[in-house]
Amino acid sequence: MSKSTTKLAIAFAFKELLMEKPLNKITINDIAEKCEMNRQTFYYHFHDILELTEWICESDAERALSENRTYATWQEGFLSIFNMIKKDKNFIINIYRNVPSDYLHRYLYKATYQLLYNVLEEKAKGMVIREEDKAFIANFYKYGFVGLLLEWIDNGMKDEPALIVERLNSLIQGNFEQALNNAKLNK
């Protein structure tokens, strides 16, 4: 089995176990048994369950955003994050309740920042804007976007993701360009 296939098998087994019991009750032995491998194989790929959790989050985010990193598609990218979280509700809720909050936050911030930064890069073509200004704008929006996601998770993921993204889109329509123009003018 290739290294990536083994990592995916471990991740799949871990997610299956999360359907049966809370994250804080799952052991590396449980995961290894579910994969029909030994503990050493797990340790060859991950140091611990937290590293596995982080890898799953990063891999899932990368897949969700792979085709949606432009201004024209940022809504689909953000919607993909919502849908991915909803699809893996047990996994996300377990992380949310049993792992230090910085793991989930770091994952959401990283995925959202990259999405927003790519949009800003695209909209800034032809403009002279300092790198730190683009990063500042991306960080500002990142906190708002992730705040919406965390509130949605807190409220049991009841609201329809498409409606949230639609409302967000109408709220910030034209704001990326305005922020970039303001950064350009304030040099």
Side-chain angles (χ1 to χ4, degrees):
M1 205 182 298
S2 74
K3 186 175 181 176
S4 63
T5 304
T6 304
K7 286 177 105 168
L8 289 172
I10 291 169
F12 183 77
F14 181 54
K15 284 184 174 184
E16 280 190 334
L17 286 166
L18 285 170
M19 303 294 261
E20 302 166 13
K21 54 186 167 179
L23 186 141
N24 60 353
K25 301 288 186 202
I26 296 173
T27 65
I28 291 169
N29 273 340
D30 294 334
I31 298 168
E33 284 177 20
K34 190 87 166 168
C35 290
E36 298 178 357
M37 60 180 64
N38 63 41
R39 287 171 46 93
Q40 272 318 112
T41 303
F42 177 93
Y43 287 118
Y44 176 74
H45 297 284
F46 303 103
H47 290 101
D48 55 23
I49 290 177
L50 288 179
E51 185 181 357
L52 167 61
T53 302
E54 216 169 339
W55 182 83
I56 291 170
C57 289
E58 288 174 8
S59 299
D60 287 351
E62 182 59 35
R63 268 193 311 280
L65 294 175
S66 64
E67 300 295 320
N68 300 302
R69 297 178 188 263
T70 67
Y71 182 73
T73 63
W74 75 263
Q75 299 92 341
E76 288 90 9
F78 199 49
L79 183 58
S80 291
I81 293 172
F82 270 103
N83 288 331
M84 178 192 60
I85 289 171
K86 193 171 188 174
K87 179 180 148 273
D88 280 342
K89 186 175 182 176
N90 287 337
F91 176 69
I92 296 297
I93 294 298
N94 262 300
I95 292 171
Y96 198 67
R97 291 185 181 145
N98 297 301
V99 174
S101 63
D102 63 317
Y103 278 86
L104 182 60
H105 292 184
R106 188 171 45 233
Y107 148 65
L108 292 173
Y109 286 143
K110 184 177 178 181
T112 305
Y113 177 86
Q114 196 56 58
L115 170 66
L116 292 166
Y117 189 83
N118 289 344
V119 168
L120 290 167
E121 276 284 284
E122 178 186 338
K123 295 309 273 181
K125 280 200 183 354
M127 296 180 177
V128 179
I129 299 174
R130 294 181 310 189
E131 192 63 34
E132 59 264 25
D133 289 334
K134 287 186 277 188
F136 182 83
I137 295 166
N139 276 313
F140 175 80
Y141 284 107
K142 167 186 80 177
Y143 289 112
F145 281 39
V146 171
L148 284 172
L149 274 166
L150 292 173
E151 183 176 323
W152 179 68
I153 293 169
D154 270 342
N155 292 330
M157 302 182 200
K158 293 176 186 148
D159 293 337
E160 192 55 44
L163 179 61
I164 296 169
V165 172
E166 183 182 312
R167 292 176 77 192
L168 177 62
N169 184 42
S170 67
L171 178 70
I172 66 170
Q173 190 73 36
N175 287 349
F176 292 141
E177 294 92 345
Q178 186 61 49
L180 289 166
N181 279 324
N182 289 344
K184 181 180 76 175
L185 295 173
N186 290 329
K187 291 190 111 193

